[in-house]
Amino acid sequence: MKKRTKILIIILACVFAALAVCTGIYTNDYYRAVNVSAGFEKSNGVTVTKIKEGWFFDGPAEDKALLFYAGAKVEETAYTPLMQAISENGVDCFLLKAPMKLPFFSVSKAKSVTEHYSYENYYLAGHSLGGMVAANDAAKHPGDFSGLFMLAAYPTEDLTSVKFPVVFIYGTNDGVLHRGRLERGFTLVPKDYQVVKIEGGNHSGFASYGFQDGDKKATVSAEKQQKITADAILKTING
């Protein structure tokens, strides 16, 4: 083997090793769920099942389901309390699992749910980057959904012609949400969009994963923030 070939092999091996180390570090650097569980269990009339797309919160609903995109780098099960609160009140929930904890990779799983389950109405929701992905999914397939809920999030694509309700939900103490982009997002949706401001709520309070870097301290409990969020979503869906 020529010396040049050996050197090339060594360089490539080093590159692949470095990539493997970086990938391992990246995929293990995320906000982990705190004090929640999501497995084969039943609580308040809701059965939680692990499915290939993520987790299925099966409550009393028969015709309405919510597809939820988690925030970037957040363990999906951190949203279990919110999903439980929604599903036990008449809207089944699909909490989508994303490779590398990036919601961009959950879109195919949302499509899989709509193809393999038979609900009359599907709604999209997501937190932070997950909310942006939900909005973009709605923009691409407006005829497939009956509503959109963005938690501390905003759209980046035109949704002005959609016929379903669009709701923005965010906390007044959110230190992560970009207010300028949020304001621009208001111009990309129908004029009858709704805004729910949670007084004292922050970015981290929509789920149970602790305090997110860059956020501001909340003056309301995460439990209350999640209850207000669930109530707002249910009010829109159930009328």
Side-chain angles (χ1 to χ4, degrees), residues 53 67 94 107-119 122-124 137 144-145:
E53 294 87 0
L67 305 177
F94 291 87
V107 175
S108 62
K109 296 189 175 184
K111 184 177 180 181
S112 176
V113 169
T114 58
E115 288 179 344
H116 294 95
Y117 292 82
S118 55
Y119 289 88
Y122 284 99
Y123 300 83
L124 283 170
D137 194 9
D144 294 345
F145 305 106

Side-chain angles (χ1 to χ4, degrees), residues 6 8 16 18 28 32 48 63 74 105 142 167 170 185 202 237:
K6 289 182 178 179
L8 180 60
F16 284 122
N28 285 289
R32 288 166 170 76
V48 185
D63 60 347
V74 177
F105 302 123
V167 182
Y170 65 93
N202 65 0
I237 294 177

Side-chain angles (χ1 to χ4, degrees), residues 63 65 120-124 141-149 163-166 236-237:
D63 60 347
E120 184 177 343
N121 295 289
Y122 284 99
Y123 300 83
L124 283 170
H141 309 284
D144 294 345
F145 305 106
S146 300
L148 170 65
F149 304 90
K163 305 301 182 184
F164 49 71
V166 175
T236 299
I237 294 177

Side-chain angles (χ1 to χ4, degrees), residues 5-15:
T5 303
K6 289 182 178 179
I7 293 174
L8 180 60
I9 291 174
I10 292 172
I11 292 173
L12 289 173
C14 290
V15 170

Side-chain angles (χ1 to χ4, degrees), residues 24-173:
I25 294 173
Y26 179 80
T27 54
N28 285 289
D29 180 24
Y30 61 88
Y31 294 98
R32 288 166 170 76
V34 179
N35 298 324
V36 299
S37 62
F40 297 94
E41 56 189 46
K42 189 167 184 175
S43 176
N44 295 328
V46 177
T47 301
V48 185
T49 308
K50 186 79 164 58
I51 57 177
K52 65 178 182 178
E53 294 87 0
W55 291 266
F56 176 35
F57 292 75
D58 186 10
E62 296 181 356
D63 60 347
K64 293 171 286 192
L66 182 77
L67 305 177
F68 192 90
Y69 293 94
K73 306 302 289 180
V74 177
E75 187 172 16
E76 295 86 357
T77 52
Y79 297 89
T80 295
L82 181 59
M83 299 296 98
Q84 284 276 9
I86 295 171
S87 56
E88 68 187 33
N89 284 285
V91 180
D92 289 349
C93 295
F94 291 87
L95 178 57
L96 305 172
K97 187 174 179 62
M100 296 189 290
K101 301 292 183 289
L102 292 175
F104 293 115
F105 302 123
S106 298
V107 175
S108 62
K109 296 189 175 184
K111 184 177 180 181
S112 176
V113 169
T114 58
E115 288 179 344
H116 294 95
Y117 292 82
S118 55
Y119 289 88
E120 184 177 343
N121 295 289
Y122 284 99
Y123 300 83
L124 283 170
H127 174 222
S128 196
L129 184 59
M132 184 190 301
V133 172
N136 292 345
D137 194 9
K140 289 182 175 65
H141 309 284
D144 294 345
F145 305 106
S146 300
L148 170 65
F149 304 90
M150 288 173 281
L151 284 53
Y154 47 83
T156 58
E157 295 187 17
D158 187 9
L159 285 159
T160 54
S161 62
V162 300
K163 305 301 182 184
F164 49 71
V166 175
V167 182
F168 296 85
I169 307 173
Y170 65 93
T172 58
N173 288 18

